[in-house]
Amino acid sequence: MRTGARSPPSPTLPIKRKNLEASVARLLLLPPLPFPSSLSLVCPSRPQSFLLPCIASQPQRTPRVGLFQALRRPHHCGGMATEIVAGDGRLIGAAVATLLAAIFLAAVLGRRRRQRAAETEKPAPTDGCAVAEGEGYGGDGRTDVIIVGAGVAGSALAYTLGKDGRRVHVIERDLTEPDRIVGELLQPGGYLKLIELGLEDCVREIDAQRVLGYALFKDGKNTKLSYPLEKFHSDVAGRSFHNGRFIQRMRQKAASLPNVQMEQGTVTSLLEEDGTVKGVQYKTKSGEELKAYAPLTIVCDGCFSNLRRALCSPKVDVPSCFVGLVLENCQLPHANHGHVVLANPSPILFYPISSTEVRCLVDVPGQKVPSIASGEMAKYLKTVVAPQIPPEIYDSFIAAIDKGSIRTMPNRSMPAAPHPTPGALLMGDAFNMRHPLTGGGMTVALSDIVVLRNLLKPLRNLHDASALCKYLESFYTLRKPVASTINTLAGALYKVFSASPDQARNEMRQACFDYLSLGGVFSNGPIALLSGLNPRPLSLVAHFFAVAIYGVGRLMLPLPSPKRMWIGVRLISGACGIIFPIIKAEGVRQMFFPATVPAYYRAARPME
């Protein structure tokens, strides 16, 4: 090499990304790295080091060269030209520096891309509850959720959460097959929820009967009201069955999951610490006292719950009692339909529960019923009830009375009034009840389970009790439109269908029967509400007052009179007195305007 006077510095040599990637890859046998569009290697004032400058915004148009070609070209630094050869230590330093810079830059850019992708793909963490990204639900404990009770709500919930990967511990007082006279009719809306939860096979192989609608009887007249099922799959319909068989099927399906433990025991109390429920204390079948812990305890121990007082403000009303009979080898006037007789003093229900059995439920107003042991009940059924039932089933009804298998059940109603409690939640009849006249209890319970499942599904860690409690307040709001519609309809319909000494109330009763007999939209709308296929609060209020106005119109024909006008005024007033207290108890804002409740927006966004 030749030395002499200081010569001007040589221009920066741009190294294109493609050449740099290929050269480094050949050197280290690495895959190409994502580099910026143009990089330059320059020689600073000291020849001992090489630097990697910033990305050039306007790269110079120079001939393309490879990495080693660029490094072998003569550079003039401080008036001296240096020939860089492959064996020089400075070559190794430049290559290593370039490689480290490339790796660092690629890592930074890749991390930013991953962060942007994560922000767009997964829902934001909600109030401290982590969002699930796959497997591995739960925390460090052995159980994620404790469920108290394995009835319809408890069993369905255990299977649903277990299927989502939760570790579930179910504690049920009695795991033998229940024998109840209610919870035997599942409306089509409830059956759709059963399908959504993957439990539709639980109504198979138990001799369940398809229910396609209702038949209404009053004063020797009858009208048939069919469910509006035209837009649904042919399998969608109501189902009626033995309650115990249905529950056992759901228990078996829940217990078939490896992460669901079903245990017989009686829960005596909730375990609390600083206002947070940590688990339960229970007594096993053998009498041993044990404690179970989980970040979330869900109480589903039914209408006679002894735990709900700690979690809600129960206002239980018992407007009447059901007297239950089973009619054998009885042919109902309308096959595959429930039958409602508007009798005096209150309605009578008939519906099939197997291919050879028909359930009869006689409503007796008040909390006291005639004594079964003394024979007063049999006398009441034969003298007061039997003359009012359809003649086609009279003989079977009398035979069932003579057989002596008469049972009673109080009809309870209780609006949902929860106390949001960290670590605990109420569901099923322990949480909310309505008159069983419309058979809507299981539909509400299954709908609630769908809402809760969707809320819990994106959550991985349930151990932040206060954050989870605040998050799950959205459950109480999201369930309201469906639950409140079915609850309000049940309470209002029972009062309208019951006989009364008030002439205005009796006019309302007759108007309801005639309104439903009109058919078309006048029957399809109310029956869609009753079936749970269209549980919309505004539709309920519209049809209810349409019945009242229809009743007033009947009174004004053929000619109005002061007496008839006065009865019409009382009819409208009575209609308001029936429905508005029920709506108030359910919550006007949550029922009609749930989007105005702040808790409505605490639910996580649906996962893609």
Side-chain angles (χ1 to χ4, degrees), residues 389-413:
I389 66 174
E392 297 92 332
I393 54 181
Y394 179 86
D395 291 340
S396 298
F397 183 74
I398 296 298
I401 297 172
D402 293 337
K403 187 177 180 180
S405 300
I406 303 173
R407 302 175 60 191
T408 63
M409 175 80 178
N411 295 326
R412 298 167 176 253
S413 63

Side-chain angles (χ1 to χ4, degrees), residues 187-190 227-228 443 489 526-534:
Q187 297 287 2
Y227 294 137
T443 301
L489 178 64
I527 204 70
L529 290 165
L530 180 69
S531 63
L533 295 172
N534 181 33

Side-chain angles (χ1 to χ4, degrees), residues 342-394:
L342 303 187
N344 191 356
S346 51
I348 307 168
L349 303 180
F350 296 91
Y351 52 87
I353 55 174
S354 73
S355 55
T356 60
E357 298 167 302
V358 170
R359 170 68 71 192
C360 170
L361 294 174
V362 178
D363 187 83
V364 179
Q367 300 183 21
K368 293 184 179 180
V369 296
S371 171
I372 297 176
S374 66
E376 292 180 10
M377 178 64 76
K379 181 180 179 181
Y380 173 82
L381 294 174
K382 289 182 178 180
T383 58
V384 176
V385 178
Q388 302 183 73
I389 66 174
E392 297 92 332
I393 54 181
Y394 179 86

